[in-house]
Amino acid sequence: MEVSSFLSKYENQITIFADYLEEFPDTDELVWILGKQHLLKTEKSKLLSDISARLWFTYRRKFSPIGGTGPSSDAGWGCMLRCGQMMLAQALICRHLGRDWNWEKQKEQPKEYQRILQCFLDRKDCCYSIHQMAQMGVGEGKSIGEWFGPNTVAQVLKKLALFDEWNSLAVYVSMDNTVVIEDIKKMCRVLPFSADTAGESPHDSFITSNQSKGTSAFCPAWKPLLLIVPLRLGINQINPVYVDAFKECFKMPQSLGALGGKPNNAYYFIGFLGDELIFLDPHTTQTFVDTEENGMVDDQTFHCLQSPQQMNILNLDPSVALGFFCKEEKDFDNWCSLVQKEILKENLRMFELVQKHPPHWPPFVPPTKPEVTTTGAEFIDSTEQLEDFDLEEDFEILSV
């Protein structure tokens, strides 16, 4: 490839770190990025490397039309979907590669990295593509090409995850600002499939085993948890009383950041410095990238090597969604302890964490894949099949 064509291909990405090291002030303050801290004065390059390692999804153009006849670009409407993809991609990286994994340009990466990336390509047969997300949004009352809010993206990811057998995530989206420990454990504790429990749901067999052998005899497996907490932190702007608790969430080792931004302008928030939130911005339109002949994806346009974007926390729209990833049950238990200690201590709590399912709510039923004639992500070609979904998540208590 000639130098000129290489430069034009990656014109948005080629930036030397030194050019924007000065973007951050030279202070002794700590910067928090998705549960990791960096000392700004001595670790700037390490900080910028950590930010650029996150998968960056932006508007794209020239992909196959969504639904066959729909848009072939998501510019102007897909920013929240792209932010949802970024949050989920971070969960998958934590699941397969670990939070400490780092990306270097043109360095060979583990095969899991390429497989994660391929989940998000702009093709209808990729399980978390813009095609799948937009079409699954129809079941949430959103037309293709219509802007999503944080809660809608969370509900869409929850449904699409049911068709993703490789990652096998349990996705829990909290309701009415309340996270229910009992419901999460019911959804995430699963038993390895065996002949003697065939025909039973994992939860049924878990109960049966515990009843027959005593609770200490069985240690169920844990389905990795993607926990999303949609919140309204004010009426027209964020209430300053929530600022400290909101920032505290980025310090938790389970942090996947937050979806939010400004009306019709979504960003993926990954950390903070003082009262400045650090975010990845999807509002750059790049050309569709597909797998190459060798089955690999050229990943140069999926990492942001530009200056990190910042926004004062008080300029944040109050409608947000926090994300957390708990690979094992002990990670979830640790998260619960941190929430008790840092979030529930506030007089005006950002959200509630309760042990038992509230009695006035409908019963909790872990989501299951609907019965369809084909399997995998490619089944969602028409909106008729979306009617098979259980819509219990539509029951949201706004205020009583």
Side-chain angles (χ1 to χ4, degrees):
M1 185 187 288
E2 292 182 6
V3 172
S4 59
S5 62
F6 178 85
L7 287 172
S8 67
K9 185 174 180 184
Y10 299 128
E11 60 187 342
N12 289 327
Q13 280 65 48
I14 296 177
T15 314
I16 299 169
F17 274 165
D19 288 350
Y20 61 83
L21 283 172
E22 298 312 311
E23 291 284 329
F24 287 115
D26 201 11
T27 73
D28 289 325
E29 283 192 83
L30 284 173
V31 181
W32 286 91
I33 302 290
L34 301 172
K36 286 183 81 171
Q37 64 180 35
H38 299 276
L39 187 59
L40 199 51
K41 203 162 194 171
T42 57
E43 299 180 323
K44 275 188 180 175
S45 59
K46 193 172 157 200
L47 162 67
L48 293 166
S49 173
D50 193 21
I51 293 171
S52 68
R54 302 313 110 215
L55 281 173
W56 179 48
F57 298 122
T58 70
Y59 291 152
R60 296 272 172 175
R61 60 177 178 265
K62 297 187 178 177
F63 49 69
S64 64
I66 296 174
T69 56
S72 56
S73 170
D74 61 313
W77 60 271
C79 53
M80 186 63 84
L81 285 79
R82 297 301 185 180
C83 291
Q85 287 180 324
M86 286 190 263
M87 178 180 277
L88 176 58
Q90 180 59 23
L92 300 187
I93 282 171
C94 290
R95 181 186 184 332
H96 295 287
L97 304 174
R99 173 63 184 91
D100 292 333
W101 167 84
N102 223 326
W103 174 85
E104 287 176 43
K105 193 156 71 165
Q106 280 147 1
K107 179 186 170 191
E108 189 174 340
Q109 296 295 342
K111 65 181 188 304
E112 291 88 354
Y113 165 78
Q114 275 283 328
R115 196 166 175 188
I116 290 167
L117 194 49
Q118 291 179 25
C119 291
F120 297 94
L121 296 182
D122 303 317
R123 298 179 357 194
K124 71 172 186 177
D125 59 342
C126 296
C127 54
Y128 301 114
S129 66
I130 193 80
H131 297 65
Q132 295 294 1
M133 293 185 74
Q135 295 199 176
M136 191 60 89
V138 174
E140 295 295 319
K142 297 287 183 182
S143 303
I144 291 171
E146 189 176 347
W147 195 81
F148 285 26
N151 184 55
T152 305
V153 166
Q155 301 297 350
V156 163
L157 292 178
K158 175 179 164 182
K159 290 177 177 177
L160 288 177
L162 298 171
F163 299 90
D164 174 16
E165 291 177 7
W166 174 52
N167 292 299
S168 188
L169 291 182
V171 181
Y172 178 92
V173 181
S174 69
M175 198 167 70
D176 190 27
N177 291 4
T178 304
V179 175
V180 183
I181 295 170
E182 177 184 60
D183 294 347
I184 288 176
K185 297 221 169 186
K186 182 178 179 182
M187 181 168 67
C188 293
R189 283 177 169 169
V190 292
L191 284 178
F193 185 81
S194 61
D196 59 329
T197 58
E200 297 182 55
S201 74
H203 181 63
D204 290 339
S205 58
F206 170 59
I207 292 171
T208 307
S209 302
N210 281 341
Q211 285 171 342
S212 60
K213 302 181 183 179
T215 51
S216 61
F218 251 90
C219 184
W222 176 266
K223 211 171 181 186
L225 170 67
L226 169 56
L227 168 56
I228 305 178
V229 187
L231 299 170
R232 184 95 193 165
L233 300 178
I235 301 172
N236 297 315
Q237 58 193 52
I238 189 168
N239 186 332
V241 77
Y242 295 122
V243 164
D244 288 344
F246 187 76
K247 289 179 2 185
E248 206 61 46
C249 291
F250 292 97
K251 296 181 182 181
M252 297 177 180
Q254 300 83 0
S255 174
L256 295 176
L259 309 177
K262 299 172 182 177
N264 297 331
N265 229 6
Y267 304 123
Y268 175 41
F269 295 95
I270 57 172
F272 72 92
L273 165 64
D275 282 336
E276 294 291 310
L277 296 175
I278 298 166
F279 63 89
L280 294 177
D281 186 353
H283 299 92
T284 295
T285 306
Q286 305 186 93
T287 304
F288 163 61
V289 171
D290 204 349
T291 47
E292 298 178 343
E293 284 182 16
N294 61 3
M296 304 289 275
V297 178
D298 184 340
D299 67 349
Q300 300 296 305
T301 63
F302 292 99
H303 292 273
C304 184
L305 302 184
Q306 301 164 352
S307 170
Q309 302 271 345
Q310 299 177 65
M311 175 200 287
N312 187 282
I313 194 166
L314 293 176
N315 294 333
L316 183 69
D317 185 86
S319 181
V320 298
L322 298 168
F324 304 95
F325 177 69
C326 303
K327 185 174 181 179
E328 298 175 13
E329 186 167 8
K330 66 182 180 186
D331 300 321
F332 177 62
D333 292 339
N334 173 256
W335 179 83
C336 291
S337 299
L338 290 171
V339 169
Q340 300 260 9
K341 186 177 158 198
E342 303 297 342
I343 309 296
L344 304 187
K345 69 179 182 185
E346 305 289 343
N347 289 331
L348 194 56
R349 294 172 174 179
M350 193 164 62
F351 61 88
E352 298 290 343
L353 176 67
V354 299
Q355 188 69 45
K356 295 286 184 188
H357 186 86
H360 57 283
W361 284 14
F364 177 76
V365 180
T368 53
K369 188 162 73 171
E371 292 300 316
V372 290
T373 51
T374 59
T375 58
E378 69 277 10
F379 93 94
I380 315 168
D381 272 336
S382 74
T383 54
E384 283 135 36
Q385 289 156 307
L386 300 178
E387 292 168 9
D388 293 330
F389 278 104
D390 173 15
L391 295 179
E392 63 74 26
E393 63 271 8
D394 289 345
F395 178 87
E396 291 193 74
I397 305 164
L398 299 176
S399 60
V400 288

